[in-house]
Amino acid sequence: MQRRITNALRAAAVLGAVSLLAAGCSSGGTDGGGGGDAAGGDVPLTYMAEDGSCAEGPAEGIDFAAADEVVKSFETPNEAILATEPLKEPVDPNTTAVYLNNGTPVAGLFQAGLQAASEAAGIKFVNVDTGTDAQSINSALNSVVEMKPDIVFDQSVDARFFQDQLTQLQDQGTAIVYGGQLNAEEFGLRDSLGGAGSIEVNSDVLANAAVQLTCGTATEFVMYSIPEIPASEIQNEAVPAALAELCPECTLRIVDISIADASPADKIVSDLQANPQTEFFISLADQFQIGLSEKAQLAGLTNAYGVGQSSLPQNIQQIADGTEVAGYVVDFNMFMWLQVDEGLRTMQGMEVPYLDGDWEAAAKAISHIVTIRNADEYLTPAGYVALEGFEDQFLELWGK
């Protein structure tokens, strides 16, 4: 991959790290952020340095080794897509795939990826606007049933709003790809990418990253959750549970920040000011960190260190600059190509790689931990790309 970071940017990254990462090379609890020694005074609070080293730690009772192993496995670049077996049969050009689009910005992002992959596979792609209210969803799904599609992609509409039509589609033999939803089993559907299994893994990764990036020395954490997103309900339980496995003595506060908040970085600053004992945070939306470093400096904070989920290109730039510690990124384009692959394989009665329950492998296929050590590899307009040229690998398996 072309490395687009310049020498000037590298210099800026080193200088920027003084404000956000320099504590990784020191062992002072007061300077490190939050104050005090970790784990009952055993080891001074320490943040991981830019080169991945720890000046101190880990503290007794904190399983840093396990956390470090997990995080490093999510830093390892992909070499191939999950699927390895070619389709049993050629793709029928008369295959019709319908996408249920509720009109939200995220749904639009999914549409673009699904449509590109479907057209590359040589199947007909139909975008159906469902809206978000029960009446419009019901009307839209009635029209979908009449189409008798071969595949339905549903990444944005909860099945509880169209249970009757879902039964009809299943009776017609339609392959339902129910990605990004949390209640697949409730409706006899298979949990897919972005579903409950994926979220459990993501929660585990975030907890491990929090322990690893604090060198196993921190015990006071906070998680900035998102009340409007159903996945947060799972993560509000799964992240604390994963953290407790690594650090039984650690505490994790959960603070809600609305995804629609005009200035989530200000909310984080206010929370950290009110809770100076906090040593590290987890954000379920990494966009909350955009501009946080500057606001934290103005407020005189020394504990504004964290890792965020679903990083945007601006977050990756901040990480490269040294003004953000780490991000847990996802390649939405790869996500959508895998969903099309799932639909084609389901149609042909084939196994789907991740539907055997190996959600960790599925997460590694589309997600990655980004730090200053590798952020420059992902400084592209599109942000994180899980695997350069992955489209060609899919097309080969699809006989294209």
Short mmCIF file of all heavy atoms in Angstrom, two decimals, residues 255-296:
data_model
loop_
_atom_site.label_atom_id
_atom_site.label_comp_id
_atom_site.label_asym_id
_atom_site.label_seq_id
_atom_site.Cartn_x
_atom_site.Cartn_y
_atom_site.Cartn_z
N VAL A 255 -21.31 6.25 30.84
CA VAL A 255 -21.91 7.57 30.66
C VAL A 255 -22.49 7.65 29.26
O VAL A 255 -21.81 7.37 28.27
CB VAL A 255 -20.85 8.68 30.86
CG1 VAL A 255 -21.46 10.06 30.56
CG2 VAL A 255 -20.28 8.64 32.27
N ASP A 256 -23.76 8.03 29.15
CA ASP A 256 -24.42 8.15 27.85
C ASP A 256 -24.10 9.49 27.20
O ASP A 256 -24.15 10.54 27.85
CB ASP A 256 -25.93 8.04 28.01
CG ASP A 256 -26.39 6.62 28.24
OD1 ASP A 256 -25.62 5.68 27.95
OD2 ASP A 256 -27.53 6.43 28.73
N ILE A 257 -23.77 9.42 25.92
CA ILE A 257 -23.64 10.62 25.08
C ILE A 257 -24.43 10.37 23.81
O ILE A 257 -24.19 9.38 23.11
CB ILE A 257 -22.16 10.93 24.74
CG1 ILE A 257 -21.36 11.21 26.01
CG2 ILE A 257 -22.09 12.13 23.79
CD1 ILE A 257 -19.88 11.52 25.75
N SER A 258 -25.34 11.23 23.48
CA SER A 258 -26.18 11.04 22.31
C SER A 258 -25.37 11.14 21.03
O SER A 258 -24.48 11.98 20.90
CB SER A 258 -27.30 12.09 22.28
OG SER A 258 -28.00 12.04 21.06
N ILE A 259 -25.68 10.28 20.09
CA ILE A 259 -25.02 10.32 18.79
C ILE A 259 -25.34 11.62 18.07
O ILE A 259 -24.61 12.06 17.17
CB ILE A 259 -25.44 9.10 17.93
CG1 ILE A 259 -24.51 8.92 16.72
CG2 ILE A 259 -26.88 9.24 17.48
CD1 ILE A 259 -23.12 8.49 17.07
N ALA A 260 -26.44 12.27 18.47
CA ALA A 260 -26.84 13.52 17.83
C ALA A 260 -26.33 14.74 18.58
O ALA A 260 -26.63 15.88 18.20
CB ALA A 260 -28.37 13.58 17.74
N ASP A 261 -25.55 14.54 19.63
CA ASP A 261 -25.04 15.66 20.42
C ASP A 261 -24.17 16.56 19.55
O ASP A 261 -23.32 16.08 18.79
CB ASP A 261 -24.24 15.14 21.61
CG ASP A 261 -24.01 16.21 22.66
OD1 ASP A 261 -23.25 17.15 22.39
OD2 ASP A 261 -24.61 16.10 23.74
N ALA A 262 -24.38 17.86 19.67
CA ALA A 262 -23.64 18.81 18.83
C ALA A 262 -22.16 18.84 19.16
O ALA A 262 -21.33 19.16 18.31
CB ALA A 262 -24.24 20.21 18.99
N SER A 263 -21.79 18.54 20.40
CA SER A 263 -20.38 18.59 20.79
C SER A 263 -20.05 17.51 21.81
O SER A 263 -19.89 17.80 23.00
CB SER A 263 -20.03 19.97 21.34
OG SER A 263 -18.64 20.05 21.63
N PRO A 264 -19.95 16.26 21.36
CA PRO A 264 -19.65 15.17 22.30
C PRO A 264 -18.29 15.32 22.97
O PRO A 264 -18.12 14.90 24.12
CB PRO A 264 -19.71 13.92 21.43
CG PRO A 264 -19.55 14.40 20.03
CD PRO A 264 -20.15 15.75 19.99
N ALA A 265 -17.32 15.95 22.28
CA ALA A 265 -16.00 16.15 22.90
C ALA A 265 -16.12 17.01 24.15
O ALA A 265 -15.42 16.78 25.15
CB ALA A 265 -15.04 16.78 21.90
N ASP A 266 -17.01 18.01 24.12
CA ASP A 266 -17.23 18.84 25.30
C ASP A 266 -17.82 18.03 26.45
O ASP A 266 -17.50 18.26 27.62
CB ASP A 266 -18.15 20.02 24.96
CG ASP A 266 -17.46 21.08 24.13
OD1 ASP A 266 -16.24 21.25 24.28
OD2 ASP A 266 -18.14 21.74 23.32
N LYS A 267 -18.70 17.07 26.11
CA LYS A 267 -19.29 16.22 27.13
C LYS A 267 -18.21 15.36 27.79
O LYS A 267 -18.23 15.14 29.01
CB LYS A 267 -20.36 15.32 26.51
CG LYS A 267 -21.62 16.06 26.04
CD LYS A 267 -22.44 16.54 27.22
CE LYS A 267 -23.72 17.24 26.78
NZ LYS A 267 -24.66 16.35 26.10
N ILE A 268 -17.27 14.87 26.98
CA ILE A 268 -16.18 14.07 27.53
C ILE A 268 -15.31 14.92 28.44
O ILE A 268 -14.94 14.49 29.54
CB ILE A 268 -15.34 13.45 26.39
CG1 ILE A 268 -16.17 12.41 25.62
CG2 ILE A 268 -14.07 12.80 26.94
CD1 ILE A 268 -15.46 11.82 24.42
N VAL A 269 -14.99 16.13 28.00
CA VAL A 269 -14.18 17.04 28.83
C VAL A 269 -14.87 17.30 30.16
O VAL A 269 -14.24 17.22 31.23
CB VAL A 269 -13.92 18.36 28.09
CG1 VAL A 269 -13.34 19.41 29.04
CG2 VAL A 269 -12.95 18.13 26.93
N SER A 270 -16.15 17.58 30.13
CA SER A 270 -16.89 17.86 31.37
C SER A 270 -16.88 16.65 32.30
O SER A 270 -16.70 16.78 33.52
CB SER A 270 -18.33 18.26 31.05
OG SER A 270 -18.37 19.48 30.33
N ASP A 271 -17.07 15.47 31.71
CA ASP A 271 -17.09 14.27 32.53
C ASP A 271 -15.73 14.01 33.17
O ASP A 271 -15.65 13.66 34.35
CB ASP A 271 -17.50 13.06 31.69
CG ASP A 271 -17.47 11.77 32.49
OD1 ASP A 271 -18.33 11.60 33.36
OD2 ASP A 271 -16.54 10.96 32.26
N LEU A 272 -14.67 14.18 32.41
CA LEU A 272 -13.33 13.93 32.95
C LEU A 272 -12.95 14.98 33.99
O LEU A 272 -12.23 14.68 34.95
CB LEU A 272 -12.30 13.90 31.81
CG LEU A 272 -12.46 12.74 30.82
CD1 LEU A 272 -11.44 12.84 29.70
CD2 LEU A 272 -12.35 11.40 31.53
N GLN A 273 -13.41 16.22 33.81
CA GLN A 273 -13.17 17.24 34.82
C GLN A 273 -13.86 16.87 36.13
O GLN A 273 -13.31 17.08 37.23
CB GLN A 273 -13.67 18.60 34.33
CG GLN A 273 -12.79 19.26 33.28
CD GLN A 273 -13.39 20.56 32.79
OE1 GLN A 273 -14.59 20.66 32.54
NE2 GLN A 273 -12.54 21.58 32.64
N ALA A 274 -15.06 16.33 36.02
CA ALA A 274 -15.83 15.96 37.21
C ALA A 274 -15.34 14.66 37.85
O ALA A 274 -15.66 14.38 39.01
CB ALA A 274 -17.31 15.83 36.85
N ASN A 275 -14.56 13.89 37.08
CA ASN A 275 -14.08 12.60 37.56
C ASN A 275 -12.58 12.47 37.30
O ASN A 275 -12.14 11.67 36.46
CB ASN A 275 -14.83 11.46 36.88
CG ASN A 275 -16.30 11.45 37.22
OD1 ASN A 275 -16.72 10.91 38.24
ND2 ASN A 275 -17.11 12.06 36.35
N PRO A 276 -11.77 13.26 38.01
CA PRO A 276 -10.33 13.26 37.76
C PRO A 276 -9.65 11.92 38.06
O PRO A 276 -8.50 11.71 37.64
CB PRO A 276 -9.82 14.35 38.69
CG PRO A 276 -10.84 14.46 39.77
CD PRO A 276 -12.15 14.18 39.09
N GLN A 277 -10.34 11.02 38.76
CA GLN A 277 -9.76 9.72 39.05
C GLN A 277 -9.73 8.83 37.81
O GLN A 277 -9.02 7.81 37.77
CB GLN A 277 -10.54 9.02 40.16
CG GLN A 277 -11.85 8.37 39.73
CD GLN A 277 -13.01 9.34 39.57
OE1 GLN A 277 -12.83 10.55 39.72
NE2 GLN A 277 -14.20 8.84 39.28
N THR A 278 -10.49 9.19 36.77
CA THR A 278 -10.56 8.39 35.55
C THR A 278 -9.21 8.36 34.86
O THR A 278 -8.58 9.40 34.65
CB THR A 278 -11.62 8.96 34.59
OG1 THR A 278 -12.88 9.03 35.29
CG2 THR A 278 -11.77 8.08 33.36
N GLU A 279 -8.78 7.17 34.45
CA GLU A 279 -7.45 7.00 33.85
C GLU A 279 -7.49 6.68 32.36
O GLU A 279 -6.49 6.85 31.66
CB GLU A 279 -6.71 5.89 34.61
CG GLU A 279 -6.44 6.25 36.06
CD GLU A 279 -6.12 5.06 36.93
OE1 GLU A 279 -6.67 3.96 36.70
OE2 GLU A 279 -5.30 5.23 37.86
N PHE A 280 -8.64 6.22 31.87
CA PHE A 280 -8.74 5.86 30.45
C PHE A 280 -10.21 5.70 30.11
O PHE A 280 -11.01 5.31 30.95
CB PHE A 280 -8.00 4.55 30.18
CG PHE A 280 -7.68 4.30 28.72
CD1 PHE A 280 -6.57 4.90 28.13
CD2 PHE A 280 -8.48 3.48 27.94
CE1 PHE A 280 -6.26 4.67 26.79
CE2 PHE A 280 -8.19 3.25 26.60
CZ PHE A 280 -7.07 3.85 26.03
N PHE A 281 -10.56 6.02 28.85
CA PHE A 281 -11.96 5.86 28.45
C PHE A 281 -12.09 4.99 27.21
O PHE A 281 -11.15 4.82 26.43
CB PHE A 281 -12.64 7.21 28.22
CG PHE A 281 -12.13 8.01 27.04
CD1 PHE A 281 -12.50 7.71 25.74
CD2 PHE A 281 -11.28 9.09 27.25
CE1 PHE A 281 -12.04 8.45 24.66
CE2 PHE A 281 -10.81 9.84 26.19
CZ PHE A 281 -11.19 9.52 24.88
N ILE A 282 -13.27 4.43 27.06
CA ILE A 282 -13.68 3.69 25.87
C ILE A 282 -14.86 4.43 25.28
O ILE A 282 -15.80 4.79 25.99
CB ILE A 282 -14.10 2.25 26.23
CG1 ILE A 282 -12.90 1.43 26.73
CG2 ILE A 282 -14.76 1.55 25.04
CD1 ILE A 282 -13.29 0.11 27.37
N SER A 283 -14.81 4.68 23.98
CA SER A 283 -15.91 5.37 23.31
C SER A 283 -16.55 4.44 22.29
O SER A 283 -15.84 3.86 21.45
CB SER A 283 -15.40 6.64 22.62
OG SER A 283 -16.44 7.22 21.83
N LEU A 284 -17.86 4.30 22.34
CA LEU A 284 -18.54 3.45 21.37
C LEU A 284 -18.74 4.15 20.03
O LEU A 284 -19.26 3.55 19.08
CB LEU A 284 -19.89 2.98 21.93
CG LEU A 284 -19.79 2.12 23.20
CD1 LEU A 284 -21.15 1.51 23.54
CD2 LEU A 284 -18.73 1.03 23.07
N ALA A 285 -18.32 5.40 19.94
CA ALA A 285 -18.30 6.13 18.67
C ALA A 285 -17.03 6.97 18.67
O ALA A 285 -16.94 7.96 19.38
CB ALA A 285 -19.52 7.01 18.50
N ASP A 286 -16.06 6.56 17.87
CA ASP A 286 -14.77 7.26 17.90
C ASP A 286 -14.90 8.70 17.42
O ASP A 286 -14.04 9.54 17.72
CB ASP A 286 -13.74 6.51 17.05
CG ASP A 286 -12.32 6.88 17.41
OD1 ASP A 286 -12.10 7.41 18.52
OD2 ASP A 286 -11.41 6.64 16.59
N GLN A 287 -15.96 9.02 16.71
CA GLN A 287 -16.16 10.40 16.26
C GLN A 287 -16.26 11.35 17.45
O GLN A 287 -16.03 12.55 17.31
CB GLN A 287 -17.39 10.51 15.38
CG GLN A 287 -18.71 10.30 16.13
CD GLN A 287 -19.89 10.17 15.19
OE1 GLN A 287 -19.97 9.26 14.37
NE2 GLN A 287 -20.83 11.10 15.29
N PHE A 288 -16.60 10.81 18.63
CA PHE A 288 -16.64 11.65 19.83
C PHE A 288 -15.27 12.26 20.14
O PHE A 288 -15.18 13.27 20.83
CB PHE A 288 -17.10 10.84 21.04
CG PHE A 288 -18.54 10.43 21.02
CD1 PHE A 288 -19.05 9.57 21.99
CD2 PHE A 288 -19.41 10.89 20.04
CE1 PHE A 288 -20.38 9.19 21.99
CE2 PHE A 288 -20.75 10.52 20.02
CZ PHE A 288 -21.24 9.66 21.00
N GLN A 289 -14.20 11.63 19.62
CA GLN A 289 -12.85 12.12 19.92
C GLN A 289 -12.36 13.20 18.95
O GLN A 289 -11.29 13.77 19.16
CB GLN A 289 -11.84 10.97 19.89
CG GLN A 289 -11.93 10.01 21.05
CD GLN A 289 -10.63 9.31 21.31
OE1 GLN A 289 -9.64 9.92 21.70
NE2 GLN A 289 -10.60 8.00 21.08
N ILE A 290 -13.11 13.48 17.91
CA ILE A 290 -12.66 14.48 16.95
C ILE A 290 -12.61 15.85 17.64
O ILE A 290 -13.60 16.34 18.16
CB ILE A 290 -13.60 14.52 15.73
CG1 ILE A 290 -13.51 13.19 14.97
CG2 ILE A 290 -13.22 15.68 14.80
CD1 ILE A 290 -14.47 13.07 13.80
N GLY A 291 -11.42 16.42 17.66
CA GLY A 291 -11.22 17.71 18.31
C GLY A 291 -11.05 17.63 19.82
O GLY A 291 -10.89 18.67 20.48
N LEU A 292 -11.06 16.44 20.38
CA LEU A 292 -10.99 16.30 21.83
C LEU A 292 -9.65 16.77 22.39
O LEU A 292 -9.61 17.40 23.46
CB LEU A 292 -11.23 14.84 22.23
CG LEU A 292 -11.06 14.52 23.72
CD1 LEU A 292 -12.06 15.30 24.56
CD2 LEU A 292 -11.20 13.01 23.96
N SER A 293 -8.55 16.48 21.70
CA SER A 293 -7.23 16.82 22.24
C SER A 293 -7.11 18.31 22.53
O SER A 293 -6.65 18.72 23.61
CB SER A 293 -6.14 16.40 21.25
OG SER A 293 -4.87 16.80 21.70
N GLU A 294 -7.55 19.15 21.59
CA GLU A 294 -7.45 20.59 21.77
C GLU A 294 -8.32 21.06 22.94
O GLU A 294 -7.89 21.88 23.76
CB GLU A 294 -7.87 21.32 20.49
CG GLU A 294 -6.94 21.10 19.30
CD GLU A 294 -7.25 19.82 18.54
OE1 GLU A 294 -8.09 19.01 19.02
OE2 GLU A 294 -6.66 19.63 17.47
N LYS A 295 -9.54 20.53 23.03
CA LYS A 295 -10.44 20.91 24.11
C LYS A 295 -9.88 20.46 25.46
O LYS A 295 -10.00 21.18 26.46
CB LYS A 295 -11.82 20.31 23.88
CG LYS A 295 -12.55 20.87 22.66
CD LYS A 295 -13.87 20.16 22.44
CE LYS A 295 -14.58 20.67 21.18
NZ LYS A 295 -15.05 22.05 21.31
N ALA A 296 -9.28 19.28 25.49
CA ALA A 296 -8.72 18.77 26.74
C ALA A 296 -7.54 19.62 27.19
O ALA A 296 -7.38 19.90 28.39
CB ALA A 296 -8.29 17.32 26.56
#
